[in-house]
Amino acid sequence: DTAVSQTPKYLVTQMGNDKSIKCEQNLGHDTMYWYKQDSKKFLKIMFSYNNKELIINETVPNRFSPKSPDKAHLNLHINSLELGDSAVYFCASSPSSGGATDTQYFGPGTRLTVL
Amino acid sequence: SQQGEEDPQALSIQEGENATMNCSYKTSINNLQWYRQNSGRGLVHLILIRSNEREKHSGRLRVTLDTSKKSSSLLITASRAADTASYFCATPHNQGGKLIFGQGTELSVKP
């Protein structure tokens, strides 16, 4: 019944490793997002996809690569993890193509810790 | 910086008191939204106020918007311990659903 789900909830890994976070939404929404929340709770958008098409690609290192196999899924792969990648990553979705009044529905977050 | 500024950064009150949080941006704001984040959880949408509205109510929430001052406020009346959370304002920037969030106000309501 979970609307936006993410796995895993916690991820602890060593510097230099490659890891993936998965996101699924069962709301039938067209647009999905990845956000990064740092230790000061500052929330910044990283990517958004509308119906499998990349719409927003913020200034994010190219070690981060999103992939959307279908409009219900948006995964985030991170290569060569660095200490500064430690954060909570949130997936979100919204009904349409990200209109100005679109409500975004957030997943529970994935806490990534890079050692 | 595109980030919104929220004030205060932290607020501690007793149950039953009102809590007011303010949000301001350097860029123009449009259709401002407020979200709540409980500890260790994702954000939950609370209320949307459109750019042609000045005030909006939803239950114990009252939101105001002043587009000329690029600011908004969220008032929670008769607070409860369950209102303890971080509260974020967010406004869309350009197209594609990009939301610019405020820094958040951490609200603690003591029973």
Side-chain angles (χ1 to χ4, degrees):
Chain A
D1 291 305
T2 306
V4 182
S5 59
Q6 293 178 231
T7 53
K9 189 165 173 61
Y10 299 97
L11 188 50
V12 181
T13 188
Q14 300 287 332
M15 264 175 48
N17 283 350
D18 302 339
K19 290 292 177 187
S20 291
I21 307 171
K22 296 187 175 182
C23 177
E24 176 180 359
Q25 54 96 3
N26 63 5
L27 297 166
H29 288 171
D30 286 340
T31 304
M32 295 184 73
Y33 310 83
W34 278 111
Y35 286 88
K36 179 181 181 180
Q37 187 175 45
D38 64 21
S39 57
K40 295 185 180 176
K41 294 198 172 181
F42 173 42
L43 201 67
K44 191 170 189 302
I45 191 164
M46 300 171 70
F47 303 101
S48 81
Y49 271 73
N50 178 260
N51 218 350
K52 301 193 297 176
E53 181 186 344
L54 181 65
I55 302 297
I56 295 173
N57 186 352
E58 288 293 284
T59 309
V60 176
N62 57 15
R63 298 181 294 103
F64 290 79
S65 52
K67 281 194 173 44
S68 182
D70 54 62
K71 76 172 194 177
H73 295 85
L74 180 61
N75 304 322
L76 183 65
H77 188 76
I78 315 170
N79 289 325
S80 303
L81 278 154
E82 300 177 357
L83 293 175
D85 297 332
S86 294
V88 182
Y89 292 84
F90 287 98
C91 177
S93 70
S94 65
S96 63
S97 57
T101 59
D102 255 15
T103 295
Q104 294 190 13
Y105 294 75
F106 283 77
T110 295
R111 182 174 291 276
L112 171 65
T113 303
V114 183
L115 304 174
Chain B
S1 167
Q2 292 182 323
Q3 182 183 356
E5 294 180 8
E6 292 195 49
D7 166 53
Q9 288 189 20
L11 180 59
S12 182
I13 58 175
Q14 295 292 132
E15 255 189 332
E17 294 180 338
N18 296 341
T20 300
M21 290 157 257
N22 303 294
C23 163
S24 62
Y25 287 84
K26 290 189 170 67
T27 56
S28 60
I29 57 177
N30 182 25
N31 298 330
L32 192 120
Q33 303 181 32
W34 284 89
Y35 287 80
R36 184 185 75 226
Q37 183 180 30
N38 288 83
S39 179
R41 310 288 288 272
L43 279 74
V44 174
H45 181 259
L46 290 176
I47 192 167
L48 160 74
I49 183 165
R50 296 173 187 269
S51 52
N52 62 352
E53 297 175 312
R54 290 295 169 260
E55 188 170 310
K56 194 163 183 179
H57 296 252
S58 176
R60 294 184 295 110
L61 305 181
R62 188 190 116 194
V63 171
T64 63
L65 180 64
D66 187 332
T67 52
S68 64
K69 292 182 179 176
K70 303 174 190 175
S71 65
S72 174
S73 68
L74 170 67
L75 167 68
I76 304 174
T77 60
S79 63
R80 304 167 183 167
D83 295 328
T84 294
S86 293
Y87 291 82
F88 295 87
C89 59
T91 191
H93 178 74
N94 295 332
Q95 299 297 319
K98 178 178 177 178
L99 285 178
I100 306 297
F101 282 86
Q103 298 163 312
T105 292
E106 199 165 320
L107 174 66
S108 173
V109 182
K110 300 189 186 315

